[in-house]
Amino acid sequence: MRIVQFVSASGAQRVGAVRGGEVFDITDQAGGSALAALLAHARSSVSADGGERVGTLDELNAAAQSGTAHLRIPIDSPEVWGAGVTYKKSAQFRDEDTSTSKGIYDMVYSGPRPELFYKGRAVHCVGPNEAAGIRADSAFTAPEPELALVLSAKGEILGFTLCDDVSAWDIERENPLYLPQSKIFLGCVVLGPTIVTPDELGDPQALTLRCTIERGGETLFEDSVGLDRIKRTFEELIHYLRLNNPIQDGAVLTTGTGIIVTQEQALREGDTITLYCDPIGSLRHGMRKLPEDA
Ligand code: DO4
Ligand code: MG
């Protein structure tokens, strides 16, 4: 099953199933939310068949416009967690650029225990075609394009989506103990566009994740990573996340970045970031500089 949440032309929040590039409204059979549909699907009790056709996924994957159906965030997550330094490139870059405690990222990459951090809850998250945040006190905020897991309280993987773990790298660099401030702020998580269940996704290691940054109509940055480059298994990450730490149905765990931008590509208000991974789709979002009182 490939599932989306969308706003209908009349402004109602709905659930859709994506079949053959088209979105069908399955709100009633899905139990009113993507999470309810995913939980029911995991128990084999929801069918993604039927439903009224709304439009193509491409038509819905556009900026919000009143009177027109458009995608919204695919899950209103009660808790989002991040895994860090799960790709060698992330460890190397972070150790090079941290003036203090040289080598700590390599210790995390190589150590038996993964780095896991709290990333926020629904209020910190935005969906497709919305704007992520740049903290008022950050001059080097970067995208971190990642594959994210949607989990049940029992730790089952209900589905896969894309996540931009937008992060204030200058604050992390200043001192690694400032990590929570570099990671948690308004619009620090972008999720979407769809959630694909494990039976439909196949082998995640066979996927490639791409990212572009566009500014003023030009492509400023372009890179991709094979998801087989990740060092940790999902089971390992989920095990440590749930160790004496009960999670709720719909918790999201984003699995780390293997794509690293340079300081010259520090995000600015008005940039457009696109993450793409088949079959999850294309997650496009803007950026806005947050005022101090936001
Ligand atoms: O240790 C800092 C965060 C690392 C991270 O978010 C990543 O590797 O994706
Ligand atoms: Mg990250």
Side-chain angles (χ1 to χ4, degrees):
M1 183 166 69
R2 206 174 161 211
I3 198 148
V4 292
Q5 293 193 137
F6 68 96
V7 176
S8 70
S10 64
Q13 296 196 3
R14 311 292 292 174
V15 182
V18 184
R19 302 193 300 266
E22 311 222 293
V23 178
F24 297 84
D25 188 334
I26 59 157
T27 311
D28 298 337
Q29 74 212 63
S33 70
L35 177 58
L38 290 166
L39 287 165
H41 182 79
R43 318 280 173 260
S44 312
S45 59
V46 76
S47 125
D49 299 339
E52 196 178 320
R53 181 185 177 280
V54 186
T56 67
L57 181 61
D58 287 348
E59 283 164 355
L60 268 72
N61 196 356
Q65 218 185 324
S66 80
T68 309
H70 55 270
L71 295 186
R72 58 182 294 269
I73 193 162
I75 183 156
D76 303 288
S77 180
E79 49 186 317
V80 180
W81 296 86
V85 201
T86 50
Y87 292 79
K88 192 146 192 85
K89 200 162 175 182
S90 178
Q92 285 170 334
F93 167 78
R94 287 185 147 89
D95 273 335
E96 262 166 36
D97 288 313
T98 306
S99 51
T100 55
S101 315
K102 203 153 175 54
I104 62 163
Y105 292 99
D106 185 50
M107 284 166 66
V108 169
Y109 179 76
S110 321
R113 180 190 293 278
E115 177 199 3
L116 294 171
F117 53 87
Y118 182 65
K119 184 68 188 163
R121 55 189 196 284
V123 71
H124 299 103
C125 302
V126 298
N129 308 297
E130 294 183 332
I134 301 173
R135 285 180 63 115
D137 56 353
S138 171
F140 184 12
T141 289
E144 293 192 12
E146 305 183 4
L147 181 72
L149 316 175
V150 179
L151 303 175
S152 73
K154 291 187 205 150
E156 303 148 285
I157 300 178
L158 301 174
F160 296 88
T161 192
L162 297 180
C163 175
D164 192 348
D165 168 21
V166 179
S167 305
W169 282 357
D170 47 353
I171 295 176
E172 179 188 337
R173 253 183 211 179
E174 206 176 317
N175 187 319
L177 294 182
Y178 295 156
L179 189 76
Q181 293 172 73
S182 76
K183 289 293 187 185
I184 309 167
F185 47 90
L186 286 176
C188 66
V189 174
V190 190
L191 296 173
T194 69
I195 298 174
V196 182
T197 53
D199 53 310
E200 184 141 341
L201 187 94
D203 176 10
Q205 301 247 339
L207 305 179
T208 299
L209 176 51
R210 300 180 199 289
C211 175
T212 59
I213 303 176
E214 289 160 277
R215 180 174 301 159
E218 307 269 304
T219 302
L220 182 73
F221 173 83
E222 199 166 10
D223 201 4
S224 64
V225 66
L227 297 183
D228 58 345
R229 311 298 297 172
I230 191 165
K231 181 179 182 232
R232 311 270 178 186
T233 65
F234 299 146
E235 289 66 33
E236 190 184 348
L237 297 177
I238 296 166
H239 165 76
Y240 277 99
L241 177 65
R242 293 182 65 248
L243 198 55
N244 301 152
N245 176 41
I247 59 166
Q248 301 169 67
D249 283 332
V252 169
L253 173 58
T254 187
T255 61
T257 189
I259 295 179
I260 298 289
V261 301
T262 66
Q263 177 121 29
E264 290 65 52
Q265 290 135 358
L267 295 174
R268 292 192 201 155
E269 177 153 306
D271 287 352
T272 301
I273 293 82
T274 306
L275 278 57
Y276 177 77
C277 182
D278 187 35
I280 302 169
S282 189
L283 174 62
R284 196 173 322 105
H285 70 87
M287 294 303 303
R288 73 174 177 122
K289 184 81 179 172
L290 298 166
E292 272 194 15
D293 59 357

